[in-house]
Amino acid sequence: MTAFDDSPHASPELTRRVSVMTGKSLAPLALRWPDSANWLWRSEELSPQLFKLARRSPTTDPFWRGLQRLFGFDRWQSAEALTQLPGMLPPRLPLAPLPMTYLGRLQGAPLWSLPWRRAEPPPMGVALAQHLGHQLGILHHEALPGFGHPAGDVAPLSRWPERARRFLEHHPQRDWVGGAPIFPVPTRAVWSLPDLRSDQFLAGATDWLWSDWEALVWAPLEFDLCLLELILATTGQRDAFVTAYRRYQPLPALGAYRAGMRVLALALSLHGEDGKNWVYAHPHWLKD
């Protein structure tokens, strides 16, 4: 995904309608990405809130369509249940998720609110890599019942190889694959954020926060670590992540899983349609 210069805002008419629905005076915020999942507004009041109206759905976006087909999750259909996820996560995460409140629907699109925080997305660097090492170390410590979503269907890990192969076989860009990747049965299921990026967190003066966790699913441990590997850019970041992660458990061997999981990253459009060569050539930072 790449940022774009001519960042659109919600239209004045859409802003007016959301303002009427919420009873708040709203200022639209520029979208960071061309495929941003939500329209965004900041309320103009003493204690402002962030409002998010769903903009992309499984019918219009390859990532959300992939999440539905691979994990059985559609945030449009689980808009209210989605807000319960922070309460299901382990306590005392170093990157605490911001609570989200479901407000209703505008022409079928779900609308949520979150508390506004005066903070900025951190760059992907050693500090964030260390935080992510602690975060994933805690999230991966307890095994979950299977892969899927707590608000939808959950399947046993023994069905993961079949689900992953079927997902690729029916993918509209299945020619990307260039072969049949191997999908061994994973070791356990964990909390996973497939669209993990540095801009989904906020670095404040005293704490760091998890601001965008809507795509959380239950996924194979090896899936989550192979996707994390793709956002590490330097040996310093790798070392910071690994040192922090190993405080909670050892890293599993990823060699048998990496090729298949990187194909899934491409099929989910996590790194754009032009990312094939880059994804396949990315260093094996978490090598066995």
Side-chain angles (χ1 to χ4, degrees), residues 47-187:
S47 298
Q49 294 174 282
L50 176 69
F51 291 88
K52 303 168 69 167
L53 180 71
R55 174 175 176 254
R56 310 282 284 186
S57 75
T59 61
T60 60
D61 184 87
F63 170 71
W64 292 106
R65 182 166 57 251
L67 219 61
Q68 182 185 51
R69 294 179 179 177
L70 192 57
F71 295 100
F73 172 55
D74 181 352
R75 69 189 179 124
W76 286 55
Q77 300 303 318
S78 305
E80 188 166 12
L82 189 64
T83 63
Q84 300 170 12
L85 292 190
M88 302 172 67
L89 297 174
R92 295 181 294 278
L93 287 171
L95 297 162
L98 282 172
M100 190 161 68
T101 301
Y102 173 66
L103 300 177
R105 294 179 182 271
L106 182 62
Q107 287 192 319
L111 176 69
W112 301 275
S113 68
L114 298 88
W116 178 264
R117 290 291 185 268
R118 294 186 181 278
E120 294 293 332
M124 186 60 217
V126 169
L128 180 56
Q130 183 180 51
H131 276 82
L132 289 174
H134 289 294
Q135 185 90 346
L136 269 63
I138 295 172
L139 290 174
H140 292 177
H141 190 66
E142 296 294 334
L144 297 171
F147 73 94
H149 196 275
D153 295 328
V154 177
L157 284 176
S158 60
R159 292 177 53 189
W160 172 258
E162 174 193 359
R163 178 75 65 83
R165 286 194 297 266
R166 189 167 67 246
F167 170 64
L168 292 177
E169 288 170 359
H170 294 89
H171 195 280
Q173 282 81 40
R174 56 187 172 273
D175 292 343
W176 285 358
V177 179
I182 297 173
F183 293 102
V185 176
T187 55

Side-chain angles (χ1 to χ4, degrees), residues 15 24-30 39-52 114 116-118:
T15 299
K24 306 280 187 181
S25 177
L26 302 176
L29 302 178
W39 295 110
L40 302 174
W41 296 266
R42 179 183 183 272
S43 62
E44 299 177 322
E45 53 187 332
L46 186 61
S47 298
Q49 294 174 282
L50 176 69
F51 291 88
K52 303 168 69 167
L114 298 88
W116 178 264
R117 290 291 185 268
R118 294 186 181 278

